[in-house]
Amino acid sequence: PGGTGHRNEIFAEMPAMKTSKYHHPQGSFPEVRLRRNRQHPWTRALVAENHLTVHDLVWPTFVQEGEQQRSEVDSMPGVFRYSIDLLIEQVREAQQLGIPAVALFPVVPPEKKSESAEEAYHTDNLICRAIRAVKQQVPNIGIIADVALDPYTSHGQDGLVKGDVVDNDATLDVLAKQAVALAQAGADIVAPSDMMDGRIGIIRKALDATGFHEVSILAYAAKYASSFYGPFRDAVGSASALGKSNKRGYQMDPANGDEALREVALDIAEGADMVMVKPGLPYLDVVRRVHESFSIPLFAYQVSGEYAMMKAAAEKGWIKEEAVLMETLIAFKRAGANGIFTYAALDVARILQQHSLGKCRIWQ
Ligand code: PBG
């Protein structure tokens, strides 16, 4: 009464008024007790703001030459490099568990590596053979193929080296050829992880010019120069090639957040269908900002070093592996990721299956 009708005044007069996302709660203790909603497993389930399902998962995995070959990655317990025949069995299992897509990475034998990475676009290279085999034998799962030259360069860089720099524009032609070779082999999504400027546009043009307008591009838009990639480089054998060099001349500086939004904006403008933030957990602020700034499917990559840290601490008995793993994944969802790349995808899918049968107690 006697007020101006201004919203703040109305709120002040009606402390019990329903709160929304945009207003802080007006009530207070002891009437308001947030613990009420946390009392039982069923109340917690009822009010949960985010959910993780098997459809949120992408399984990154490694393929090697040979037959009946399987080798564990030392720094990633439980993660294996599979020869194509064994890979098929694993991918079939992923498909049966309901995982929508796999991301395949090749372990290229040293003799196939060169300064100019020609092997990257040979249509009969390891990754193309793997993609063809998976497509043929496990048709109902998406195949995501990495576009970057590091598995193929003798120096381990993602692009061609001239002098002491990675030559952006010379690299683009090779990336375009690589993307077309992957599409020809049957990749559903190509995922440029190289961080060259302009690569999304060039790859989109190359795919369209060769009849692959249906092939999607998942841009590793905000990919940081991270030390969390160490175990991955062991897995694919690029660590020794890279030696003491680094990728700071093209991957992003961990100090930067605003710049990630520019990267994402450019990649969307150039034709990206989906974007990625990578690594995952240490960069959830970036995930959140991309989610709030753009309307495009957004993925986060729980990278090799994140996986290795969880495994190592669990092996020591210092953390509970399943519980910590599931907590990290719901954190990705809370931050705004649509999906998560995780090396633990198969285990997670099995955990979720038990959960839906009411057997899993980790959320309780
Ligand atoms: C290659 C590539 C890397 C990863 C995915 N694609 C390594 C790198 O950039 O050095 C890292 C994945 C991981 O650590 O799990 N361009």
Side-chain angles (χ1 to χ4, degrees):
T4 60
H6 189 269
R7 196 168 59 191
N8 288 343
E9 244 171 69
I10 294 173
F11 264 86
E13 286 167 19
M14 293 189 278
M17 189 165 175
K18 182 179 179 302
T19 58
S20 78
K21 281 184 189 175
Y22 307 104
H23 303 288
H24 293 289
Q26 301 293 307
S28 62
F29 181 82
E31 291 81 12
V32 175
R33 290 178 182 267
L34 294 185
R35 285 184 55 182
R36 278 188 207 114
N37 287 344
R38 299 179 197 143
Q39 287 184 87
H40 313 290
W42 68 263
T43 47
R44 294 194 290 270
L46 192 63
V47 303
E49 296 172 34
N50 294 287
H51 301 275
L52 179 76
T53 79
V54 70
H55 297 152
D56 296 317
L57 304 173
V58 175
W59 184 44
T61 191
F62 303 105
V63 55
Q64 66 173 51
E65 290 287 0
E67 271 172 47
Q68 296 292 306
Q69 298 290 315
R70 192 182 93 138
S71 59
E72 193 167 15
V73 181
D74 286 343
S75 48
M76 301 175 75
V79 170
F80 296 85
R81 313 168 186 91
Y82 298 100
S83 57
I84 294 176
D85 49 347
L86 298 188
L87 176 76
I88 303 256
E89 292 172 16
Q90 295 299 312
V91 175
R92 187 172 290 124
E93 188 168 354
Q95 191 270 329
Q96 283 165 357
L97 284 163
I99 293 173
V102 291
L104 303 179
F105 296 94
V107 182
V108 177
E111 65 272 15
K112 296 275 163 100
K113 302 188 184 202
S114 64
E115 286 268 307
S116 40
E118 291 93 345
E119 182 69 2
Y121 50 87
H122 286 163
T123 52
D124 215 29
N125 68 16
L126 174 61
I127 192 70
C128 290
R129 279 182 278 126
I131 292 169
R132 271 197 295 274
V134 171
K135 194 83 269 164
Q136 198 184 5
Q137 299 191 49
V138 196
N140 295 321
I141 193 163
I143 302 178
I144 303 176
D146 217 57
V147 179
L149 304 185
D150 54 320
Y152 305 101
T153 50
S154 41
H155 43 69
Q157 296 290 356
D158 290 19
L160 304 181
V161 170
K162 280 214 186 116
D164 353 315
V165 292
V166 171
D167 184 329
N168 192 87
D169 298 13
T171 300
L172 294 179
D173 291 338
V174 189
L175 293 173
K177 284 195 212 165
Q178 182 185 23
V180 171
L182 294 167
Q184 254 162 8
D188 302 290
I189 300 177
V190 293
S193 71
D194 55 283
M195 289 300 279
M196 296 302 119
D197 285 321
R199 86 264 209 235
I200 303 300
I202 295 272
I203 289 171
R204 184 71 269 160
K205 278 204 188 76
L207 290 173
D208 288 353
T210 45
F212 295 110
H213 357 65
E214 303 296 343
V215 170
S216 303
I217 300 179
L218 165 56
Y220 282 69
K223 177 171 176 181
Y224 287 84
S226 173
S227 297
F228 285 94
Y229 306 150
F232 174 97
R233 293 178 190 169
D234 291 339
V236 300
S238 62
S240 50
L242 199 58
K244 288 207 170 70
S245 316
N246 62 65
K247 301 189 177 183
R248 283 178 222 132
Y250 44 103
Q251 297 179 347
M252 283 183 58
D253 184 341
N256 298 349
D258 294 346
E259 190 187 339
L261 302 183
R262 294 186 75 192
E263 282 284 3
V264 170
L266 277 171
D267 285 357
I268 293 174
E270 290 177 29
D273 301 281
M274 310 166 179
V275 296
M276 166 95 82
V277 171
K278 177 186 177 186
L281 220 55
Y283 295 83
L284 283 190
D285 60 316
V286 180
V287 173
R288 184 75 208 168
R289 291 179 70 184
V290 172
H291 170 71
E292 284 178 351
S293 305
F294 302 95
S295 301
I296 187 164
L298 169 61
F299 291 83
Y301 199 138
Q302 181 168 59
V303 300
S304 57
E306 299 175 66
Y307 176 88
M309 289 198 304
M310 283 192 287
K311 280 284 175 183
E315 273 180 14
K316 290 252 189 194
W318 291 346
I319 60 170
K320 287 188 186 146
E321 183 173 345
E322 264 192 21
V324 167
L325 175 63
M326 298 307 274
E327 187 176 328
T328 62
L329 297 175
I330 203 68
F332 284 110
K333 294 295 294 182
R334 192 188 64 242
N338 295 101
I340 305 121
F341 282 52
T342 176
Y343 295 98
L346 267 72
D347 289 337
V348 175
R350 289 187 202 105
I351 294 167
L352 290 170
Q353 225 167 39
Q354 289 178 329
H355 184 48
S356 66
L357 296 173
K359 288 185 204 143
C360 176
R361 306 192 58 83
I362 52 172
W363 293 113
Q364 306 184 5

